[in-house]
Amino acid sequence: MTSHHIILYSFLCVISIIVFSGYLVKMYRFKREKNRVTEPQEARAIDIELKGDIFELDKLSIILEDLVRYNVPVKTILDLNIVIEEVYTSIVNQQKEGQDNKNVLISLVLDPGQIRVSITDHNAEFNPIVMQKIDLNAPFEEISFHGLGFHLVRHLADDLNYQRMEDRNILTMKKTYAK
Amino acid sequence: MKRLKFLESLLRWKWYPDILRLPLFIGFFVLIYVLLFGDQAEGKNIGLSVMWVLMWSLQPVAFVLLGRFWCGICPFSSAGDLVQKMVGNEIHPPLFLKKYGVWFAYTFFIVIFVIETLLHMASSTTASGILLLTICTMAIISGAFFRRRTWCRYLCPLGVAGGVFSRLRVVKLSKDSAICNECKEFECFQGTVNSKGCPMGLCIKRHDLDADCISCGNCLKNCPNGSPRIQLRSPVKGFLANVKMSQAESAFTSSFIGLSIALSLIKDFMREINLSFGSETAVWDEFLVIMLFSGLSLSLFYIFSYIIRPVTRQSQKHNFRFFGFFLIPYVFFVLFNLTSVHEVLLNGMTLFYNVTISMGLSLPKTPIHPLVGLQGMHFIQGLGVLAGSILSIVFCVHELQKALNNRQRNKIIAVFSVFLVAVTGYSIYLLIFL
């Protein structure tokens, strides 16, 4: 038997072991799923701390994409991504030039069938909820595009609430989905 | 941009891409067999010629023409997909893999590249066979445990590095934004009865298609609204339409510059060290020195992007990504020199001889000469480096014209050009005069 035979056979052995262990893991997962007693799911909390930099958005979308593993539908994740992106971008834009970027805290709480989001920043007081609603039925020339991002947020999220606590703006919202 | 309806209908065909994958998959086993059990004499193994002269040399050209088309039909991923079908656990890849997997892939690519050059893997059947079998095993591990193509998307050294050069692709998948904006079902991502969802986990509405699309055609088969389309575009326009780069990609392009210079220098450098210290150095010392050069080039580029903050009025991270993006054409030509030009000109005739002999034709027993001598090859490589650096500067100028005023723009262009001209000049000096 030459060294080349040994190389080939060792790789074949490794591949067979991998395939077999993959099969065992599959069987184990299948059994576990079958035996699992359906209990009400506990709420899960995810805290995301972003540095107040626009490039942090990549990090945000990576974390949000990961919600698929909690059985959140893709459409809800994409909507949520748009909503948080809009709010976060507006927070970053409001930061004054020359000042150090302050962290923005995004907390997600996953309940069965809904996600509660709260976004906390340290900018000057700004309540987006009192902003005038955009009338999209008005003629095109008369539509003011200022606040269009928040119009989208209002459209995609439910139960928007704003609070000013000490030096923080806290925006909370909910996003429901069919389980 | 011209729409290629013929290619669209080909990609919608139910047998595509299996009709291409099957022969390649069988060919892969034949290749492994020939590599390990074929003629082991130097220059006589047809498996080596096919692997390095044909497949390895074609990769850079294929990336620029068709993007990651190769990944769609790659035999390693076919093996992974087969195992996934049989025992797939469909586990979501862990978050750290999504975030840092590409760093591993770029490092792996650089390590393989250096080892390949130092150990002359292109003339070693054992090393080539082990490399192929290792990558195949990794793809099978990914297929057995993780969902979709985790290996191809986050870890495959060739695919992920190819994704960087795919930004120059000529044939590209694009979308009709108006249709995608209305979409609420995401069939391209989720899949339908027609076909599975995107194997790379891309949603054409949201993701960067230039770098990661493997042209498998699943989105074309699945989308009920006909949004995905195949288009022919100019590499310049397409490249500049999406100036977006991650830190990892910039780190890869900048460290590759140091790597290419180190590869040209290493023999003389080690000879000097041996003479100075009176000791013999091994291949692993050369490997470490090259990796050190690569790291040095990355650090210098990092410092460069920090120093020019007052000129660009942008953060260091932004500068690092921005200039890293415009190094792509330069790095592409360097890679093209080191793979396609090097292999075809030096070993092209070997492939021809081996193919002819394997077809049963007899040839005169003359020694196999390279197509072009070393000096000629270095001249061609020098031209390639020059073309890459000119393209990088022209693309950068073109992009900066959009946003900045004249004075600021001229400063940035001057700084970037000085950096690139210095690197190009030194590379050409090494190629032609040493």
Side-chain angles (χ1 to χ4, degrees), chain A residues 2-5 7-8 11 14-15 18-27 29 51 53 55-56 58-59 61-63 65-66 68-69 73-75 78 81-82 85, chain B residues 32 35-37 40 83 86-95 98-99 125-126 130 133-134 137 140-141 144-145 147 184 186 189-190 203 206-207 315 317-318 321:
Chain A
T2 63
S3 61
H4 285 168
H5 279 100
I7 292 169
L8 185 65
F11 270 101
V14 172
I15 290 170
I18 293 162
V19 174
F20 185 62
S21 48
Y23 177 74
L24 288 182
V25 173
K26 191 179 184 180
M27 285 297 111
R29 281 159 56 91
K51 288 176 190 159
D53 186 331
F55 292 120
E56 294 276 291
D58 288 352
K59 187 172 152 190
S61 39
I62 287 174
I63 296 172
E65 267 177 33
D66 220 42
V68 182
R69 67 167 69 198
V74 177
K75 186 189 170 328
L78 292 176
N81 200 355
I82 294 171
E85 252 183 42
Chain B
I32 293 278
L35 274 177
L36 296 180
F37 306 112
Q40 299 296 316
V83 172
M86 283 154 52
V87 297
N89 280 288
E90 303 280 334
I91 300 171
H92 284 278
L95 190 60
K98 287 185 181 178
K99 278 170 82 175
T125 48
T126 315
I130 290 177
L133 285 169
T134 310
T137 312
I140 287 176
I141 293 177
F145 295 101
R147 73 194 311 243
K184 299 217 176 350
F186 307 106
F189 176 80
Q190 306 271 37
C203 169
R206 282 191 48 79
H207 286 106
S315 68
K317 265 187 188 174
H318 179 275
R321 289 174 183 196

Side-chain angles (χ1 to χ4, degrees), chain B residues 204-236:
Chain B
I204 58 166
K205 183 176 177 178
R206 282 191 48 79
H207 286 106
D208 180 9
L209 300 173
D210 285 356
D212 289 326
C213 173
I214 56 169
S215 314
C216 65
N218 282 11
C219 53
L220 281 139
K221 289 179 194 119
N222 286 330
C223 182
N225 308 313
S227 171
R229 52 203 57 194
I230 302 292
Q231 285 179 323
L232 189 71
R233 66 172 190 183
S234 131
V236 183

Side-chain angles (χ1 to χ4, degrees), chain B residues 309-346:
Chain B
R309 277 180 316 146
V311 183
T312 57
R313 292 178 198 162
Q314 295 284 358
S315 68
Q316 187 270 337
K317 265 187 188 174
H318 179 275
N319 290 337
F320 188 66
R321 289 174 183 196
F322 184 81
F323 291 111
F325 182 82
F326 288 104
L327 286 180
I328 292 179
Y330 180 80
V331 173
F332 167 73
F333 272 97
V334 171
L335 184 79
F336 182 70
N337 276 342
L338 293 172
T339 55
S340 311
V341 174
H342 184 270
E343 290 297 336
V344 171
L345 294 187
L346 284 190

